[in-house]
């Protein structure tokens, strides 16, 4: 049976991937937002250049890099008309309305502030800052409350792209509308084998550039916890990190390659993250000394286990007085990071019939089903839209003052996100990522 379902999903999969990378290109509107890029970054093409192709109201018009030759090559490859000599020149260009900042984490807050001061709207890569202090300096900056010449404060959005995909809304709706009271435990895992695939001089492995697994992919896991609970934790109760391997640890003694941490949320529920840029030597039948040198491949996921509750009325289950029908639900979202390619949301339930007084179990059975959500009817979107394309839609809506879907990453949310990351570092005994000397 599963094989027919699986085979049936192939045409949709192929069509989504094909259209994502060869999207329709509508004509640009006369007042399209003119976007400039900081740096010839690796993520730029996926995060904004490709999504902008299918958006009529945004054009990627400029790029600036520390080295002009590099910027020119990038501009040629991605068909970007203007090349600036420096990041400052990009900001001085009056024809640019908005900027995308995919620089090393240590430069996010600084360049976001400079951009806002230059009157630009900002799409800022995650994590928004090196630590909570920097995040507060950025998101509490008076410039965000000042009115610009269009009588609108500038838009600043931390690019938590996954949040804009409808699959995350579907996941949340399966938990309920009072997640804080309904959840018992959440596990969020994000593991990527970057230590095997990219050199150790990458920005992700540099403490001074605010790197580290928790800052890189850990931000997603932390954000999944916060967005699943819809609440902030009370305390980080444990945090254990793994450092870079020899010989890299000598130069980078404070950069973690992995982090496992747990927080207690209001009501006593626990949220755990497990993030790694390499291996923890898990999930393998090989001996430990070999396994710990190998990467662990694991689909990013977030799993929410809910408290057992009484099923109010169930026409399927005829109850005699003195008995009650209880259910304990677990909702697992596999691949919240890039759900357009593939994702699955499993709803597993354990049902029991219990004696109402003693709560002793009289009968037990399990049910399982799964759902997928590529597009919500009545909301802008297409099944082939990437998380980045959904995000761009909302960014443009905000800049244009349009209502949009209502999904957003608030400034307060971005500040709290960094507070939670700082708590993990403190609990793990690692120093917080250094604060910029830039003063706004
Ligand atoms: N949303 C997502 O899915 C993803 C987000 N990211 C985030 O985007 C950001 C950039 O990641 P990625 O594109 O992989 O990074 P890159 O390695 O491509 O670096 C980005 C840019 O940083 C600039 N840079 C400025 N100062 C330095 C420095 N001291 N050392 C090295 N580079 C410097 C370079 O600009 P120049 O060209 O001017 O030299 C470079 O192009 C990070 O914050 C990361 O967390 C990354 C991947 C995925
Ligand atoms: O933001 C990101 O998303 C995907 C990851 O693989 C990457 O390291 C990270 O920067």
């Amino acid at each position: 049976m599963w094989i027919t379902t699986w085979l049936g999903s192939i045409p949709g999969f192929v069509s989504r991937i094909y259209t994502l990378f060869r999207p329709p290109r509508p004509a640009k509107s006369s007042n399209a937002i003119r976007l400039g890029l900081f740096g010839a970054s690796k993520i730029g093409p996926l995060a904004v250049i490709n999504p902008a192709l299918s958006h009529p109201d945004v054009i990627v018009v400029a790029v600036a890099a520390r080295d002009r030759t590099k910027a020119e090559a990038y501009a040629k490859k991605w068909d970007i008309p203007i090349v600036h000599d420096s990041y400052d020149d990009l900001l001085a260009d009056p024809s640019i309305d908005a900027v995308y900042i995919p620089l090393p984490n240590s430069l996010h807050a600084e360049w976001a502030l400079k951009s806002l001061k230059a009157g630009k709207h900002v799409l800022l890569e995650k994590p928004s800052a090196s630590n909570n202090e920097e995040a507060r300096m950025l998101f509490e900056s008076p410039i965000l409350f000042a009115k610009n010449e269009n009588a609108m404060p500038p838009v600043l959005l931390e690019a938590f792209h996954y949040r804009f995909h409808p699959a995350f809304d579907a996941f949340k709706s399966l938990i309920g509308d009072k997640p804080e009271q309904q959840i018992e435990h959440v596990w969020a895992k994000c593991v990527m084998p970057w230590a095997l695939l990219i050199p150790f001089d990458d920005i992700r492995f540099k403490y001074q550039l605010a790197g580290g697994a928790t800052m890189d992919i850990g931000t997603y896991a932390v954000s999944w916890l916060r967005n699943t609970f819809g609440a902030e934790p009370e305390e980080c109760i444990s945090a254990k990190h793994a450092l870079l391997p020899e010989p890299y640890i000598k130069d980078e003694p404070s950069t973690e390659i992995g982090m496992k941490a747990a927080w207690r949320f209001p009501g006593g529920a626990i949220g755990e993250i497990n993030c790694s840029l390499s291996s923890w030597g898990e999930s393998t039948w090989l001996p430990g000394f070999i396994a710990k040198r190998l990467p662990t491949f694991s689909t990013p996921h977030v799993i929410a286990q809910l408290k057992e509750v009484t099923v109010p009325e169930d026409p399927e289950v005829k109850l005699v007085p003195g008995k009650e029908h209880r259910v304990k639900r677990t909702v697992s979202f596999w691949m919240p990071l890039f759900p357009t390619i593939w994702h699955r949301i499993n709803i597993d339930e354990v049902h029991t019939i219990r004696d109402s007084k003693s709560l002793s179990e009289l009968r037990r059975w399990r049910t399982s089903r799964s759902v997928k959500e590529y597009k919500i009817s009545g909301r802008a979107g297409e099944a082939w839209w990437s998380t980045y394309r959904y995000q761009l839609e909302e960014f443009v809506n905000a800049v244009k003052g349009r209502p949009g879907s209502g999904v957003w990453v608030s400034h307060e949310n971005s500040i709290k996100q960094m507070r939670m990351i700082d708590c993990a570092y403190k609990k793990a005994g690692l120093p917080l990522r250094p604060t910029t000397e830039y003063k706004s």
Side-chain angles (χ1 to χ4, degrees):
M1 194 56 130
W2 66 267
I3 191 86
T4 36
T5 313
W6 186 76
L7 285 174
S9 70
I10 291 177
F13 170 79
V14 172
S15 151
R16 282 195 308 280
I17 307 300
Y18 180 84
T19 321
L20 194 163
F21 290 108
R22 298 181 72 89
R25 298 178 182 214
K28 300 292 177 185
S29 57
S30 58
N31 60 351
I33 296 162
R34 293 170 61 83
L35 189 70
L37 311 184
F38 276 87
S41 68
K42 292 195 280 287
I43 189 59
L46 192 62
V48 295
I49 297 173
N50 167 285
L53 294 176
S54 60
H55 201 308
D57 295 330
V58 61
I59 316 175
V60 176
V61 289
V63 60
R66 292 170 301 170
D67 166 1
R68 186 178 170 94
T69 324
K70 188 178 167 196
E72 278 171 353
Y74 197 81
K76 191 167 172 213
K77 181 166 181 188
W78 299 109
D79 204 13
I80 302 171
I82 306 170
V83 173
H84 282 296
D85 284 337
S86 68
Y87 301 159
D88 282 312
D89 284 358
L90 181 82
L91 290 186
D93 181 343
S95 78
I96 292 172
D97 306 306
V99 293
Y100 169 59
I101 307 183
L103 297 176
N105 303 336
S106 58
L107 299 175
H108 286 183
E110 173 178 340
W111 283 101
L113 278 164
K114 287 179 179 166
S115 305
L116 293 166
K117 273 191 190 160
K120 314 296 182 195
H121 301 287
V122 176
L123 179 60
L124 176 62
E125 262 310 333
K126 39 55 57 187
S128 63
S130 303
N131 54 44
N132 181 250
E133 183 190 344
E134 260 190 24
R136 291 191 63 173
M137 177 173 92
L138 171 60
F139 291 101
E140 289 172 359
S141 165
I143 197 110
L144 284 165
F145 304 96
K147 305 272 182 193
N148 66 17
E149 62 206 22
N150 304 319
M152 249 176 64
V155 173
L156 168 62
L157 174 65
E158 182 180 14
F160 267 119
H161 55 105
Y162 83 86
R163 182 58 197 90
F164 296 88
H165 195 279
F168 202 86
D169 293 295
F171 167 68
K172 283 193 64 148
S173 72
L174 291 160
I175 291 170
D177 50 10
K178 294 193 180 70
E180 194 187 326
Q181 293 164 26
Q182 290 158 315
I183 293 171
E184 191 171 81
H185 207 120
V186 179
W187 295 266
K189 185 169 181 181
C190 202
V191 173
M192 296 280 164
W194 291 147
L196 272 196
L197 304 175
I198 57 178
F200 275 96
D201 63 3
D202 188 88
I203 58 171
R204 286 164 185 73
F205 302 112
K206 299 276 173 213
Y207 173 76
Q208 285 303 332
L209 298 182
T214 322
M215 295 292 284
D216 187 55
I217 47 174
T219 46
Y220 290 114
V222 167
S223 182
W224 296 338
L225 285 192
R226 297 180 52 257
N227 276 323
T228 303
F229 276 105
E232 297 306 315
E234 289 169 341
E235 190 193 354
C236 180
I237 53 174
S238 67
K240 222 174 122 196
H241 64 280
L243 290 170
L244 296 194
E246 294 286 356
Y248 310 102
I249 190 172
K250 285 194 187 66
D251 291 335
E252 288 293 335
S254 301
T255 305
E256 82 289 2
I257 203 163
M259 176 76 86
K260 291 177 181 176
W263 288 261
R264 194 187 54 251
F265 281 77
I270 302 296
E272 293 185 51
I273 64 156
N274 178 351
C275 65
S276 175
L277 294 168
S278 175
S279 165
W280 286 78
E282 290 170 343
S283 327
T284 162
W285 44 268
L286 291 167
F289 74 96
I290 301 176
K292 75 179 183 198
R293 286 172 176 76
L294 294 176
T296 307
F297 293 99
S298 167
T299 310
H301 61 260
V302 51
I303 300 175
Q305 187 177 74
L306 310 192
K307 292 175 187 158
E308 189 180 78
V309 290
T310 301
V311 180
E313 271 174 44
D314 186 348
E316 300 287 317
V317 182
K318 292 214 168 42
L319 287 179
V320 289
K323 306 221 168 103
E324 60 183 85
H325 179 187
R326 314 260 302 169
V327 64
K328 190 166 172 61
R329 174 181 278 199
T330 303
V331 190
S332 322
F333 184 3
W334 296 87
M335 200 44 128
L337 201 50
F338 303 116
T340 311
I341 297 171
W342 175 88
H343 71 271
R344 196 174 63 216
I345 305 169
N346 291 340
I347 307 108
D348 297 301
E349 292 180 336
V350 177
H351 295 257
T352 45
I353 301 295
R354 292 181 187 274
D355 182 276
S356 306
K357 275 202 188 120
S358 67
L359 287 184
S360 63
E361 190 178 310
L362 303 170
R363 202 180 132 209
R364 163 184 286 248
W365 73 100
R366 289 170 189 274
T367 60
S368 291
R369 63 190 171 96
S370 68
V371 297
K372 294 175 190 289
E373 190 81 82
Y374 294 102
K375 173 178 164 36
I376 291 183
S377 91
R379 193 190 277 188
E382 298 293 340
W384 55 267
W385 276 20
S386 65
T387 50
Y388 308 104
R389 179 61 181 81
Y390 273 108
Q391 171 178 265
L392 190 65
E393 185 75 13
E394 295 309 324
F395 181 72
V396 170
N397 284 337
V399 171
K400 295 275 183 196
R402 298 173 186 152
S405 70
V407 178
W408 193 250
V409 181
S410 72
H411 296 171
E412 195 193 348
N413 197 317
S414 294
I415 292 174
K416 288 177 174 164
Q417 167 79 11
M418 289 317 299
R419 188 172 70 194
M420 201 162 150
I421 288 180
D422 281 7
C423 288
Y425 278 129
K426 284 184 194 154
K427 191 79 185 174
L430 285 172
L432 302 186
R433 311 297 95 166
T435 303
T436 176
E437 281 170 17
Y438 174 76
K439 293 281 169 271
S440 60

